[in-house]
Amino acid sequence: MKKRNSENQSLSEVLKEFVDHNKLQGGLDKVSVKDVWFREMGPAIEKYTTAIKLQNETLFVQLSSSVLREELSYGKEKIINMLNRELGKDLIKKLVLR
């Protein structure tokens, strides 16, 4: 990472440069997706969510309830749009419920 005059850079600029330089954005996105899933889907769905994994542009969500999995499968596009809106970027293209 290049040394720069830190007086001219904000903390957010320095952190962004650090994340970009160390290629950490993928890991941060994975953590963000989990946080957004639990926050947006609510405690009822959180209770039945056993695993969440973001791989490439596909979000894999493992649920312990087959009834809930079936119910959520009808609204996949809406869920994808909601999560992407909260993330602030089109990170998820496909949702797989297991």
Side-chain angles (χ1 to χ4, degrees):
M1 192 150 119
K2 291 189 253 178
K3 294 238 179 197
R4 293 192 179 193
N5 186 356
S6 60
E7 290 178 32
N8 295 334
Q9 284 186 301
S10 69
L11 181 58
S12 63
E13 290 171 333
V14 173
L15 287 173
K16 182 177 179 344
E17 186 177 308
F18 178 80
V19 167
D20 291 344
H21 178 75
N22 291 296
K23 298 180 177 110
L24 300 175
Q25 192 60 51
L28 291 173
D29 288 342
K30 290 177 183 181
V31 172
S32 296
V33 166
K34 286 182 182 181
D35 291 342
V36 168
W37 173 268
F38 291 129
R39 185 175 66 240
E40 292 301 310
M41 299 306 285
I45 293 176
E46 179 179 357
K47 187 168 93 171
Y48 294 103
T49 303
T50 57
I52 299 174
K53 181 181 179 185
L54 179 65
Q55 189 171 15
N56 299 325
E57 295 177 331
T58 304
L59 180 62
F60 296 91
V61 179
Q62 188 164 350
L63 300 165
S64 60
S65 169
S66 60
V67 175
L68 179 60
R69 182 171 44 251
E70 184 69 24
E71 191 72 28
L72 291 178
S73 70
Y74 295 120
K76 282 184 180 183
E77 280 302 314
K78 185 177 178 183
I79 293 169
I80 291 169
N81 291 334
M82 176 182 60
L83 295 175
N84 282 334
R85 185 181 66 246
E86 288 301 312
L87 289 165
K89 54 185 165 182
D90 286 338
L91 192 61
I92 303 165
K93 301 288 185 206
K94 184 177 177 185
L95 176 62
V96 176
L97 302 170
R98 297 180 175 169

